[in-house]
Amino acid sequence: MINEKKQTHISKFLSLVLRHKPETIGIQLDLNGWIDVSELIEKSNKYGIQFDRETLNHIVATNSKKRFAFNDKLDKIRASQGHSIEIELGYTNRKPPETLFHGTSEKSVQSILENGLERKNRQHVHLSSDIDTAIKVGQRHGKPFIFLVLAEQMHKDNFEFYISDNGVWLTNNVPIKYLKKRDE
């Protein structure tokens, strides 16, 4: 089996080609973000990122954020969410819990308080159902800051919510009036 450093390198590469730039290795995702596993492995290897089916299975199975998913036949793969390219993930509108969480860095707080949560270059705003996950997300960007999102009220006000295969809640945006600082 591959070492952890190489596994992380391959996982980041997969995020790049399955979420943002499939053209990097000359693949084209279908409308739902799927690509044939054999083609992904072949084109990745030609590009210089070496892995086989066993390694890919291991990465999908052990990725702590469950960033990737196989289809039912296990012959196609896609990223679970986080695309900056237009993909129809096929998720249906779901009623969220009363409160969800958004982890960010302290340096982003002022902008969020002025503009709300915006999807920017992604298809959706990502929200967590638990504080611990939100803290981990926020830590990736600096000192973490957690916003509470009044998700149930948003849903009552006709905002749509989806839940990805890996449990991340998704919505198009969160206006300021639905955000609370964690300490309020």
Side-chain angles (χ1 to χ4, degrees), residues 42-156:
E42 176 191 336
K43 299 271 177 97
S44 296
N45 284 317
K46 282 183 181 175
Y47 184 78
I49 306 297
Q50 304 293 316
F51 61 92
D52 57 16
R53 178 61 191 247
E54 182 182 353
T55 300
L56 184 62
N57 290 347
H58 180 75
I59 289 170
V60 172
T62 61
N63 185 277
S64 62
K65 296 178 183 161
K66 302 293 180 201
R67 284 196 165 116
F68 315 107
F70 290 117
N71 66 350
D72 291 340
K73 292 181 182 178
L74 305 176
D75 63 346
K76 293 186 179 188
I77 187 171
R78 75 175 180 186
S80 298
Q81 91 282 322
H83 299 83
S84 60
I85 56 176
E86 201 61 38
I87 295 293
E88 177 50 58
L89 293 170
Y91 297 139
T92 55
N93 188 13
R94 302 262 307 265
K95 183 178 186 238
E98 180 180 354
T99 305
L100 290 169
F101 305 93
H102 181 78
T104 190
S105 67
E106 284 190 343
K107 65 183 178 225
S108 299
V109 171
Q110 191 57 43
S111 174
I112 292 169
L113 289 173
E114 292 170 7
N115 303 305
L117 291 173
E118 301 171 310
R119 58 186 173 172
K120 297 193 177 178
N121 66 340
R122 292 197 178 183
Q123 284 192 293
H124 298 100
V125 171
H126 295 190
L127 305 170
S128 305
S129 57
D130 65 277
I131 289 176
D132 290 339
T133 300
I135 290 170
K136 288 177 188 167
V137 169
Q139 286 174 333
R140 293 191 321 218
H141 307 288
K143 186 171 182 194
F145 185 92
I146 308 303
F147 280 101
L148 275 68
V149 176
L150 305 177
E152 186 177 53
Q153 185 58 53
M154 283 181 66
H155 190 261
K156 286 178 184 174

